[in-house]
Structure formats: C-alpha cells, structure tokens
Amino acid sequence: TAAAFHRDGERAAFHTAARSWLPGAALAAGMLGFVLLQPGFTLRLLYGAASPYAGLSAPLRWGALAYLLMFGSQLYGCYLLALRRVRRGLWMQLAATGAALAAGFPLAIRNGAAGACAGLALASLSRLAAGWVLSRSRLSTGDEPRGRETQPERLARIANRCERITTRDRYCHL
C-alpha cells in the first residue's frame, strides 16, 4: 500500500489495499449481514429454541451492526496508517472515544447489553464519519508531513536484510 502510494498516489494505494481486504470483508459482511437480518434464527440455530439466549435478538442485531461498522472503520484506519496519515487516524479515534463516552456509556447503563452494543455501533459509526469528513477536507491533511519517503531500493534492502536475519531464527525489527 505504501509503495503504491509513493509510486502512483492515494487512489492507487486504496485500490492496492482493497484487493487484499475484499475476500475477508465480503465473508465478514455476508455473515454479519445474515446475523443482522435474522438474529432470532441465528440464536435458535446455534443454541436451540429452548435456550436462555433465545431472547437476545435485539443485542445480537445491534452487535452485528456494530461489528460491521467496526470492521469498516478498522480497515480504513489501517489504510490511513499505512499512508502515514497518523493525524487523521488520531482524529478518527478521538471521535469514536467521544461518542462512546457521551452516548455509549449512558446507553449501556440504561439498556444493558442492547445499549452497550448500540453504543459500540455509534462509536464505530462516528469513527467512519470522522474519517470520511477528514478525507474530504483539508483540516488534518494539509499540514500532515508525508514522513520519510520510502524508496523501492530501500524496501528491497530491508526485505533482504529481514530474510537473512529470520533464516537464522532471529526476529527482524525495522
């Protein structure tokens, strides 16, 4: 991702990252989407109709939504960090923390498990929204330093060094 960014820009880096995300994202979205649409059936399938968990459809639905949003926001956050957009990633995390403190804890206290899952969904949604807003504005990106430029020759040198070190049963620290 970082090499594609330095070579061809942010759009190429996103397409490179999306190729590696797509298989896992499609599988997770399919499974969590099914749980989101059919939480009662999922609980009966996993635990049986007489299970004490059968009445937890609402928390499971909120939890599935929360994890769908969290998965997307984590992928976007990792993408930003690969591009060394640390300041934008920090603002995204701060937005999620603020949403969790302002709304997540009160929801959890008032509504139990369903409220906690709804608060998690709200925090993940605020992280995604903050990332989207910051990617469309120059608030945090105009003054972000690009960091140390990574040349392809340097990447090849690091990879060769790591291979030599790891073949001798040692760890490679960059």
Side-chain angles (χ1 to χ4, degrees):
T1 304
F5 172 67
H6 290 293
R7 187 177 52 249
D8 297 322
E10 196 163 324
R11 185 174 294 268
F14 184 78
H15 289 299
T16 301
R19 280 196 307 268
S20 64
W21 298 341
L22 198 55
L27 181 64
M31 290 172 34
L32 289 171
F34 179 77
V35 172
L36 180 67
L37 296 175
Q38 295 292 327
F41 177 73
T42 303
L43 287 170
R44 283 191 307 276
L45 182 69
L46 293 175
Y47 297 109
S51 171
Y53 299 119
L56 296 176
S57 291
L60 185 61
R61 179 172 278 141
W62 278 111
L65 178 64
Y67 277 100
L68 275 170
L69 293 170
M70 187 187 315
F71 190 70
S73 67
Q74 287 293 338
L75 289 176
Y76 188 65
C78 291
Y79 162 74
L80 289 177
L81 293 176
L83 299 183
R84 295 187 180 173
R85 301 288 193 240
V86 179
R87 192 172 297 155
R88 193 184 308 175
L90 173 66
W91 282 112
M92 284 176 57
Q93 294 295 349
L94 288 174
T97 303
L101 290 174
F105 285 135
L107 280 171
I109 290 170
R110 259 186 261 129
N111 301 323
C117 291
L120 181 61
L122 182 64
S124 296
L125 181 63
S126 67
R127 186 182 308 145
L128 273 175
W132 183 77
V133 166
L134 290 171
S135 69
R136 300 291 184 253
S137 71
R138 297 286 179 203
L139 291 176
S140 68
T141 58
D143 59 344
E144 281 183 339
R146 287 192 56 147
R148 187 175 63 189
E149 295 292 327
T150 306
Q151 305 300 327
E153 301 86 30
R154 185 170 181 277
L155 288 174
R157 216 173 35 247
I158 290 171
N160 288 334
R161 192 180 93 213
C162 287
E163 186 177 336
R164 283 195 314 269
I165 291 172
T166 55
T167 54
R168 289 183 274 166
D169 295 324
R170 294 185 189 167
Y171 294 103
C172 178
H173 299 284
L174 299 177

